[in-house]
Amino acid sequence: MPIDPAVAIGAELGEVAFAWTPSDVLLYHLALGAGADPTSERELRYTYEQDLRVLPTFATVAANLRVFDPPAVSFPGVDIDLAKVLHGKQEVIAHGPIPVSGKAVAHSRIVDVFDKGKAAVIVQETEAVGEDGSPLWTSRSTIFARGEGGFGGERGPSDRVEPPSGEPDAVIDTPTLPQQALLYRLCGDRNPLHADPEFARRAGFDTPILHGLCTYGVVAKAVTDAFLDGDPTRVGSFAAKFAGVVYPGETLRTRVWREEDRLVVATTIPSRDDAPVLADAILTPRP
């Protein structure tokens, strides 16, 4: 049986010690498309070591920057074919501005497994702390495994976020690069789905697709630039559900509604009749 919730839920996935440098942060930001205007003071906050600031979504790659093997989805009670796996949801909570360099330890565990009928959903939580034991960030990721449901588990709660009524406060168009997935995979995610045309076809896609976490980071940056004066240290958290695929080279359209203490975000592909890409997304500025 590929999924056994009795074994999986609560399973400890161990600790990982890792380190990062300003060069790693610069590479990550460049892989998101930062620096398109290389003389912009705001863009240089992402792409030049002087006054460098870290977008909190960097937390999604920080521990895997030196990993060069394709990922495997094999945890206690979970053993799934990689070709069936999509990233379902991602959340990063920054407990303070992320340093431009540092050392940390990440501790991960499976917090839930849900049965959606035709698919399984596995929720993983990671806590990262610095050398002095201070909390750096908490990340929660959801794996959506097609064809792996029906094992009799709980369906799980609804986490849908309805966009506010009325017109958005901003509409942001962000182009992606044709080579964006090839750049982003240098940050540690070597899943062949994003580079190998034959593997992508076997997974049901016409061509390799952009990493969901790349789209996640691109949108976080776009919203930060539009609403937080391009200052990544003002981002407290960002959560989003992956609602569809992006092909490298497509333009993202992000609609943002400002609420009292948060920004509600939805991203689509305008060239494909506004096909949804990120849904149920919330960016919370730091108080």
Side-chain angles (χ1 to χ4, degrees), residues 112-129:
D112 264 314
V113 177
F114 299 126
D115 187 345
K116 299 296 186 180
K118 294 183 178 180
V121 171
I122 301 111
V123 184
Q124 179 178 327
E125 183 176 272
T126 299
E127 300 276 359
V129 299

Side-chain angles (χ1 to χ4, degrees), residues 140-164:
R140 298 186 185 98
S141 60
T142 297
I143 294 170
F144 186 85
R146 297 172 293 173
E148 297 293 346
F151 53 84
E154 294 185 11
R155 185 169 181 82
S158 172
D159 54 1
R160 186 166 185 178
V161 178
E162 291 289 348

Side-chain angles (χ1 to χ4, degrees), residues 41 71 94 159 198 263 268 279:
E41 179 179 341
D159 54 1
E198 178 56 31
L263 300 166
T268 63

Side-chain angles (χ1 to χ4, degrees), residues 1-5 77-79 148 150-153:
M1 183 176 180
I3 297 178
D4 184 346
V78 179
D79 189 5
E148 297 293 346
F151 53 84

